[in-house]
Amino acid sequence: MSGPVQSAPNYTNAALVMGFVNLMWVFVLIFILWGIPAVMVLAVILNAGIDRLARRKDRHAPRA
């Protein structure tokens, strides 16, 4: 158990791809159930949330 410490694998790309896959099947399901207007509303809401997170991250970023 006292072997050399190794760095953790980088799973960023895998997480991004699976996030995209999950987003797509959710959009397809909503499209099937309620149509394109519901998908567009959800997309706008998600975009607003992502923009809000980006602004908060920029606001709390250390000044260089």
Side-chain angles (χ1 to χ4, degrees), residues 50-64:
I50 291 169
D51 287 344
R52 184 175 177 187
L53 288 172
R55 282 193 309 270
R56 190 168 83 179
K57 180 181 176 190
D58 289 343
R59 193 170 50 235
H60 294 295
R63 304 289 179 205

Side-chain angles (χ1 to χ4, degrees), residues 1-60:
M1 275 239 220
S2 63
V5 177
Q6 297 177 353
S7 63
N10 185 357
Y11 290 117
T12 303
N13 287 336
L16 289 173
V17 168
M18 287 310 300
F20 176 74
V21 169
N22 284 321
L23 183 64
M24 286 302 106
W25 79 257
V26 169
F27 276 169
V28 168
L29 178 67
I30 291 172
F31 176 74
I32 290 169
L33 293 175
W34 295 296
I36 196 71
V39 173
M40 297 302 288
V41 168
L42 179 59
V44 168
I45 291 169
L46 287 173
N47 188 45
I50 291 169
D51 287 344
R52 184 175 177 187
L53 288 172
R55 282 193 309 270
R56 190 168 83 179
K57 180 181 176 190
D58 289 343
R59 193 170 50 235
H60 294 295

